[in-house]
């Protein structure tokens, strides 16, 4: 079982190619996951914590490890037959629960995670070395479970918290050195994400091992710049709920 799971992890890691990025259509429940998994263009299944929280009736900041794990297990079971690798957004890793969370995800067949460097409970950024150590800890647990090629997408929130691009680069490089496959520098909605120039600078600093949240730039533009991974966050859920509301209104109006 471990060999099969690590083969999935290895294939997922290999899809992170600078200049030919893996594109992830983030899901949030069994139905959305099965729909995405059925598409030939979907090379992997990835959750988005914001959307998972909304589907569970809570806000992203109030998403507990229990709710997130329950959703992840349901999604993993729903797409198991697709034989596509699955990665889960575990927010900040839930403090001291990190080891337990990773172990449970591994048992569910998950082969990657997205982990943030902002401590939700303490309301502050983790120190660079502490955040890097948490990434090493994730990979150590994965190795113990027979999945040495486990994929970590390390999210850096320093721009979101008023920091500089240089700080983001320092953090991202430390996370990559700790074993992360990619670094995800998120700018947040208030600053409009990250600019084309910033993406170019980050790609250079990270040797292309950058995850970008799709927004102002197209997939082709991001690929041409040299990123390795593109995700869309809760965009599918927002679009689905807009369509559902429109269709429901038509039904209600007869």
């Amino acid at each position: 079982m471990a060999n099969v799971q690590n083969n999935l992890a290895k294939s997922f890691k290999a899809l992170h190619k600078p200049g030919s990025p893996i594109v992830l259509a983030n899901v949030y429940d069994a139905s959305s996951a099965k729909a995405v998994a059925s598409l030939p263009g979907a090379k992997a299944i990835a959750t988005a914590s914001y959307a998972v929280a909304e589907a569970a009736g809570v806000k992203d900041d109030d998403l507990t490890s229990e709710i997130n794990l329950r959703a992840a297990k349901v999604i993993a079971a729903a797409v198991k037959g697709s034989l596509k690798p699955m990665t889960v957004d575990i927010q900040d890793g839930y403090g001291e629960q990190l080891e337990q969370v990773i172990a449970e995800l591994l048992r569910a067949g998950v082969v990657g995670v997205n982990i943030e460097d902002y401590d939700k409970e303490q309301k502050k950024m983790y120190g660079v070395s502490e955040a890097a150590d948490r990434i090493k800890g994730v990979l150590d647990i994965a190795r113990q479970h027979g999945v040495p090629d486990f994929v970590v997408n390390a999210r850096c929130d320093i721009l979101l918290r008023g920091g500089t691009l240089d700080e983001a680069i320092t953090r991202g490089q430390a996370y990559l050195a700790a074993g992360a496959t990619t670094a995800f520098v998120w700018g947040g909605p208030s600053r409009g994400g990250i600019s084309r120039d910033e993406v170019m600078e980050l790609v250079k600093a990270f040797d292309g091992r950058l995850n970008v949240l799709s927004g102002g730039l197209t997939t082709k533009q991001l690929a041409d710049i040299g990123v390795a991974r593109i995700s869309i966050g809760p965009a599918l859920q927002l679009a689905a709920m807009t369509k559902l509301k429109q269709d429901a209104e038509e039904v209600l109006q007869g």
Side-chain angles (χ1 to χ4, degrees), residues 54-74:
E54 286 291 317
V58 299
K59 294 300 181 184
D60 194 28
D61 285 345
D62 299 320
L63 182 65
T64 63
S65 62
E66 291 79 12
I67 295 173
N68 203 1
L69 281 170
R70 184 163 58 247
K73 292 173 184 177
V74 168

Side-chain angles (χ1 to χ4, degrees), residues 150-212:
F150 195 79
V151 173
V152 173
N153 183 43
R155 186 175 119 175
C156 174
D157 279 7
I158 195 69
L159 293 181
L160 184 64
R161 307 295 165 183
T164 66
L165 189 66
D166 285 343
E167 289 177 294
I169 288 173
T170 297
R171 283 179 171 269
Q173 289 174 335
Y175 304 161
L176 292 169
T181 299
T182 46
F184 171 25
V185 177
W186 192 47
S190 62
R191 74 189 298 276
I194 57 177
S195 68
R196 182 189 183 93
D197 288 344
E198 288 171 331
V199 172
M200 293 176 68
E201 193 167 345
L202 290 165
V203 163
K204 182 178 179 180
F206 299 162
D207 295 323
R209 295 175 293 168
L210 177 70
N211 175 198
V212 174

Side-chain angles (χ1 to χ4, degrees), residues 48-218:
S49 70
Y50 182 98
V52 168
E54 286 291 317
V58 299
K59 294 300 181 184
D60 194 28
D61 285 345
D62 299 320
L63 182 65
T64 63
S65 62
E66 291 79 12
I67 295 173
N68 203 1
L69 281 170
R70 184 163 58 247
K73 292 173 184 177
V74 168
I75 292 169
V79 301
K80 186 176 181 180
S82 71
L83 299 179
K84 293 183 178 181
M86 177 174 163
T87 182
V88 173
D89 182 349
I90 59 168
Q91 301 185 303
D92 65 349
Y94 307 104
E96 295 181 359
Q97 299 179 64
L98 179 60
E99 182 174 347
Q100 174 192 344
V101 167
I102 298 300
E104 288 197 39
L105 290 175
L106 284 160
R107 284 193 286 270
V110 172
V111 298
V113 293
N114 184 94
I115 186 169
E116 303 165 12
D117 59 359
Y118 180 76
D119 187 333
K120 288 200 311 177
E121 185 174 335
Q122 299 299 322
K123 305 296 183 188
K124 65 178 184 179
M125 297 290 296
Y126 280 107
V128 178
S129 60
E130 186 177 6
D133 284 344
R134 288 172 69 78
I135 293 167
K136 292 177 183 177
V138 168
L139 295 171
D140 283 342
I141 297 164
R143 276 189 289 270
Q144 292 168 23
H145 283 76
V147 189
D149 289 293
F150 195 79
V151 173
V152 173
N153 183 43
R155 186 175 119 175
C156 174
D157 279 7
I158 195 69
L159 293 181
L160 184 64
R161 307 295 165 183
T164 66
L165 189 66
D166 285 343
E167 289 177 294
I169 288 173
T170 297
R171 283 179 171 269
Q173 289 174 335
Y175 304 161
L176 292 169
T181 299
T182 46
F184 171 25
V185 177
W186 192 47
S190 62
R191 74 189 298 276
I194 57 177
S195 68
R196 182 189 183 93
D197 288 344
E198 288 171 331
V199 172
M200 293 176 68
E201 193 167 345
L202 290 165
V203 163
K204 182 178 179 180
F206 299 162
D207 295 323
R209 295 175 293 168
L210 177 70
N211 175 198
V212 174
L213 186 68
S214 179
L217 299 174
T218 67

Side-chain angles (χ1 to χ4, degrees), residues 20-42:
S20 181
I22 179 172
V23 180
L24 300 169
N26 301 81
V27 303
Y28 49 91
D29 62 8
S31 295
S32 61
K34 286 191 286 187
V36 170
S38 71
L39 302 173

